[in-house]
Amino acid sequence: MKKLKKLIKSGHAQVEGALAINIIVLAYVATRELTRPISYLEFSIAALLMAGYEGVARSKKTANAWFVDPAYWVAAIVVATALIIMRHMV
């Protein structure tokens, strides 16, 4: 049980969870709701944000910086998802 709590509190797991939800939401919205297809580049924006987080979080130079907080990266993934959907709804 302690390992599960430690895993849930991990920043990597939180950002990965946001990425997984992003993929599911974009796939559902792209197949059911949108009239125009979403490009591959737009599908990969959240994955690029995840790669950015991994690069920043693993760097020893930025280990204690304010932008290493996973809440910022989760928020960026959620905002990117919303912007992609809103862009294609019009």
Side-chain angles (χ1 to χ4, degrees), residues 9-62:
K9 290 182 180 181
S10 168
H12 297 288
Q14 292 173 2
V15 178
E16 288 171 4
L19 181 63
I21 291 170
N22 170 340
I23 292 169
I24 293 168
V25 167
L26 282 180
Y28 176 79
V29 170
T31 57
R32 305 282 176 154
E33 304 295 328
L34 299 180
T35 57
R36 295 184 316 181
I38 297 176
S39 70
Y40 293 124
L41 180 64
E42 291 171 328
F43 270 118
S44 67
I45 289 173
L48 292 172
L49 288 171
M50 176 70 184
Y53 170 73
E54 290 292 332
V56 168
R58 294 191 187 263
S59 175
K60 292 184 180 182
K61 292 181 181 178
T62 60

